[in-house]
Amino acid sequence: MMLSASLKNSSTYLKRTAPFARRTFSTQLPLLQRVSGVETVKNYINGKFTDSKTNDWIELRNPATQELIGYVPETTQDELKEATETAAAAAKKWRQTTVLARQRVMMDLQYLIRLNQDKIAENIVQEQGKTFADAKGDVFRGLQVVEQACALTTHLMGEKLTVAKDMETYMYREPLGVVAGICPFNFPAMIPLWMFPLAIAAGNSIIMKPSERDPGAMMMLAKIAAEAGIPDGVLNVVHGSVDCVNYICDEPQIKAISFVGSDRAGEHIYSRGSANGKRVQANLGAKNHAVLLPDANKQAALNAIAGAAFGAAGQRCMALSTLICVGETKDWLPELAERARNLKVGYGMDPDTDVGPLITVQSKERVERLIQSGANEGANLLLDGRGVTVKGYEKGNFVGPTLLTDVKTHMECYREEIFGPVLVCLNVDTLDEAIELINKNPYGNGTAVFTNSGPSARKFEHEIDVGQVGINVPIPVPVPPFSFTGSRGSILGDMNFYGKSGLHFYTKPKTVTSLWKESDSSHSRASVSMPTMR
Ligand code: NAD
């Protein structure tokens, strides 16, 4: 009786979901607010794309051209409050839908994202600058988390145990209510997709704050989510920077925050959000080391290292930004420099481009300053990517692949996360020294070893204190059956993004212990034997 009532409720609640055939129309997904000229990016609150009433706007520029493509609002406190109220009201209804109903919405969401993958990728190229192929990968790696969300019926199954005569304890996971996601600029589709699909599939409503530097992909995903049947108020998108983030940290109705970004913002959000009693998961910066052993397959290793150091212009938290050459492999560096020199710097939609622009003029200046600091502190500038110009895109924030060799651990270029196409190379004599050096670095996001020796690989795997290890794999980001397991200085909080841990982050366990005495059953036969008082 109760079950059919709740099914009825959930189907009424989801009635606004269009028939499936209609939803395929969204291949022509509009770019919303910027179809003509310079326009403002809207908020998405209670199922409506609305203009902010703020007077405070952030410029949104194409990093390859500096073209002004829009203004992003510093959403007002009143609008943030409205998003919260709407999310809180929606969460109350959404949690009553069955997990099967939510699974169906996730299936439609994954289908529609797949259908619109190229359009989202194109938007990423315009706002973020990475190459079109890489931008498609950005969408695809996020899509894999949506696919995981489709499997939540199994992942959300509870547990049950008979603990005494007629007594059972069972555990199931309940949604938290309203949660929030705060995103960085470097994966404008993948990282929002780490957050809102699992949060919503688990029965929460969510307020997303994409990076103010490239919010377009999240806006497109919001439009798709509405078409997939995510009800009004369950997904909301607000924009802004510090004030908006501080509101999220302080608002009591928001129960949990997912954050990905820099150390500075992450440490602030983690401490402020936690102090306010919220659950916070925060993925921070990185310095990922590759170890090159003399028994490695030289050609394959050099290709992998060049791709992982300079791809996405080094703006990946899992970029291999540091190379440790063991023994004679330092003699391979001129060949690595040659490969790096041959990578084409350019506009992301040019199919020949390997390395796009950096996100802002300030990022470019910072990266160039750190290159110079390496040279000033005694490193050898084997390949200098500064001063590169791209025909037709002369104003772009381009820096070409750069190699600093003979780097020492005290140098600023080693200590700082550069977040640009710069590979810093250090020399050691043994694998033990390489392991010791990596374990001394405060970060623990990712690392990779290149070798043909099983024993060396095994030693590295077991002795290295880094959360994600690649063996002949340069960027070992796990797929969503696992979680993203960066460690040490690269994470605050102990619940990882996506995978089982991701679903656990957005839910809390409830245990129930029930006693239904068999002897109390009114439908059993009358006992005619003499009572024995046992
Ligand atoms: P960022 O910290 O500048 O911005 C991330 C978010 O925090 C944005 O939404 C921004 O509005 C907000 N923010 C920025 N400064 C703030 C402040 N002072 N107070 C409150 N909020 C603030 O990061 P970014 O430059 O967009 O992204 C690059 C960084 O993200 C790199 O350090 C990279 O390593 C890291 N990152 C880490 C992972 C990971 O999984 N470990 C993944 C991607 C990116």
Side-chain angles (χ1 to χ4, degrees), residues 90-125:
K92 285 198 184 112
K93 287 188 185 171
W94 183 239
R95 63 178 288 143
Q96 288 168 17
T97 58
T98 63
V99 84
L100 293 163
R102 285 184 248 136
Q103 181 191 40
R104 276 193 293 276
V105 172
M106 287 300 136
M107 285 178 172
D108 289 0
L109 179 66
Q110 80 81 25
Y111 171 72
L112 288 173
I113 294 173
R114 190 178 296 282
L115 212 59
N116 289 287
Q117 185 173 2
D118 285 6
K119 287 184 191 309
I120 301 170
E122 225 173 287
N123 176 275
I124 292 173
V125 176

Side-chain angles (χ1 to χ4, degrees), residues 182-187 191 194 209-213 240-242 245-246 259-266 268-269 283-286 316-317 417 419 445 484 490:
I182 302 169
C183 307
F185 79 85
N186 66 330
F187 282 99
I191 289 176
W194 283 3
K209 196 212 81 69
S211 170
E212 63 277 28
R213 292 184 269 182
S241 55
V242 178
V245 167
N246 285 342
F259 168 83
V260 179
S262 66
D263 294 354
R264 182 160 169 256
H268 168 71
I269 290 165
N283 272 11
L284 314 180
R316 291 183 183 134
C317 67
E417 180 186 35
F419 226 55
N445 217 32
F484 189 99
S490 296

Side-chain angles (χ1 to χ4, degrees), residues 123-149:
N123 176 275
I124 292 173
V125 176
Q126 304 309 325
E127 293 186 3
Q128 202 273 355
K130 62 178 73 174
T131 66
F132 184 56
D134 198 30
K136 286 209 284 191
D138 188 332
V139 182
F140 180 74
R141 292 306 300 257
L143 190 59
Q144 290 181 322
V145 183
V146 186
E147 288 164 357
Q148 187 210 349

Side-chain angles (χ1 to χ4, degrees), residues 17-226:
T17 306
F20 202 69
R22 208 212 87 195
R23 284 182 246 154
T24 58
F25 291 166
S26 72
T27 39
Q28 293 306 314
L29 190 77
L31 250 180
L32 307 172
Q33 61 282 351
R34 73 181 67 105
V35 276
S36 59
V38 177
E39 303 216 14
T40 60
V41 178
K42 295 178 195 293
N43 285 321
Y44 179 64
I45 300 174
N46 204 14
K48 290 179 194 64
F49 291 93
T50 51
D51 289 309
S52 173
K53 295 196 171 60
T54 188
N55 294 319
D56 205 353
W57 298 90
I58 304 159
E59 284 183 356
L60 181 62
R61 289 188 181 272
N62 181 328
T65 61
Q66 306 305 339
E67 175 206 359
L68 184 62
I69 47 181
Y71 285 102
V72 183
E74 283 283 9
T75 302
T76 66
Q77 296 288 305
D78 284 350
E79 289 157 355
L80 293 170
K81 192 78 194 158
E82 187 194 343
T84 312
E85 296 301 337
T86 232
K92 285 198 184 112
K93 287 188 185 171
W94 183 239
R95 63 178 288 143
Q96 288 168 17
T97 58
T98 63
V99 84
L100 293 163
R102 285 184 248 136
Q103 181 191 40
R104 276 193 293 276
V105 172
M106 287 300 136
M107 285 178 172
D108 289 0
L109 179 66
Q110 80 81 25
Y111 171 72
L112 288 173
I113 294 173
R114 190 178 296 282
L115 212 59
N116 289 287
Q117 185 173 2
D118 285 6
K119 287 184 191 309
I120 301 170
E122 225 173 287
N123 176 275
I124 292 173
V125 176
Q126 304 309 325
E127 293 186 3
Q128 202 273 355
K130 62 178 73 174
T131 66
F132 184 56
D134 198 30
K136 286 209 284 191
D138 188 332
V139 182
F140 180 74
R141 292 306 300 257
L143 190 59
Q144 290 181 322
V145 183
V146 186
E147 288 164 357
Q148 187 210 349
C150 295
L152 94 156
T153 41
T154 314
H155 291 143
L156 271 189
M157 283 219 278
E159 294 167 358
K160 190 170 185 180
L161 193 69
T162 300
V163 292
K165 170 97 177 86
D166 298 334
M167 184 182 280
E168 271 140 358
T169 298
Y170 48 97
M171 185 282 292
Y172 53 92
R173 304 194 73 88
E174 291 192 316
L176 304 178
V178 183
V179 299
I182 302 169
C183 307
F185 79 85
N186 66 330
F187 282 99
M190 180 184 82
I191 289 176
L193 288 168
W194 283 3
M195 299 174 182
F196 79 83
L198 282 184
I200 290 174
N204 302 283
S205 62
I206 189 164
I207 299 171
M208 292 295 297
K209 196 212 81 69
S211 170
E212 63 277 28
R213 292 184 269 182
D214 49 17
M218 181 64 235
M219 298 312 289
M220 297 174 89
L221 290 168
K223 174 100 175 112
I224 291 172

